[in-house]
Amino acid sequence: MFEQREGEIPLAGDPAADADDARLAYIGRIASPWKQREDCPKNMNAARERGGGATVTVDAPYRAGLAGLSGFSHVIVLSWFEQAPRNLIVQKPRHASDAKGVFALRSPARPNPIGLHVAAVLSLDIENGVIELDAIDALDGTPVIDLKPYFASVDAIPDAKRPNKDA
């Protein structure tokens, strides 16, 4: 699914094979219009531009955790990119001129393939565990590992900087 490009450096082994400390629980799944990696937008801005919306369905045992989420305009969805390779430590994105370390990229290919998505909440059905979102940049069926309310007062950094558009 992920081809190795010039300038990329894989790890010597697969981090998943050695990992025995994180016991993640999938709390639900994402339903999105994106069925194939090639079709999936590379970020939330692109997902919003393409439209289509998305939903997160929280599994029954975790639905009580949605209490208090009503009224938040946005939610942070943490997902598990289960189809992404975990052994690329240096990558060369298609849109970039140079290879970069995985921690300087937002690529799903990483030692722990955790996705971070900040989405607008369009509706919330706590009883059925369904959160309708404005957009998502994740494949249909992607597992959700956590949800957090978005606080503009602490999550937005107005003067944040980045080195260039490739990052």
Side-chain angles (χ1 to χ4, degrees):
M1 179 179 251
F2 281 75
E3 69 283 351
Q4 189 167 339
R5 298 184 188 108
E6 184 179 334
E8 293 186 334
I9 301 171
L11 290 170
D14 180 356
D18 297 330
D20 66 347
D21 56 329
R23 300 287 192 252
L24 293 174
Y26 295 166
I27 63 164
R29 296 268 172 179
I30 293 169
S32 81
W34 323 118
K35 311 296 184 213
Q36 311 249 347
R37 177 178 171 248
E38 300 78 33
D39 300 329
C40 191
K42 71 176 188 164
N43 59 49
M44 287 296 290
N45 284 341
R48 286 186 181 95
E49 288 171 7
R50 292 181 51 195
T55 59
V56 168
T57 301
V58 176
D59 295 338
Y62 304 103
R63 291 179 186 162
L66 295 170
L69 191 59
S70 294
F72 281 95
S73 65
H74 290 75
V75 66
I76 299 168
V77 179
L78 297 173
S79 66
W80 188 261
F81 290 134
E82 62 187 351
Q83 297 182 32
R86 298 178 67 176
N87 67 339
L88 281 177
I89 200 68
V90 174
Q91 299 175 41
K92 186 181 177 301
R94 286 185 181 92
H95 66 279
S97 56
D98 297 317
K100 292 181 176 58
V102 69
F103 305 124
L105 298 169
R106 304 281 299 260
S107 166
R110 47 199 328 105
N112 291 304
I114 297 170
L116 180 131
H117 323 271
V118 178
V121 176
L122 303 180
S123 68
L124 173 62
D125 177 348
I126 293 174
E127 184 178 336
N128 293 304
V130 177
I131 307 168
E132 185 182 351
L133 306 174
D134 68 327
I136 201 80
D137 56 342
L139 292 174
D140 186 55
T142 297
V144 175
I145 58 173
D146 205 356
L147 299 165
K148 297 176 184 284
Y150 176 85
F151 293 106
S153 59
V154 295
D155 293 326
I157 312 290
D159 58 347
K161 293 180 176 45
R162 64 188 239 190
N164 60 43
K165 287 182 69 170
D166 288 348

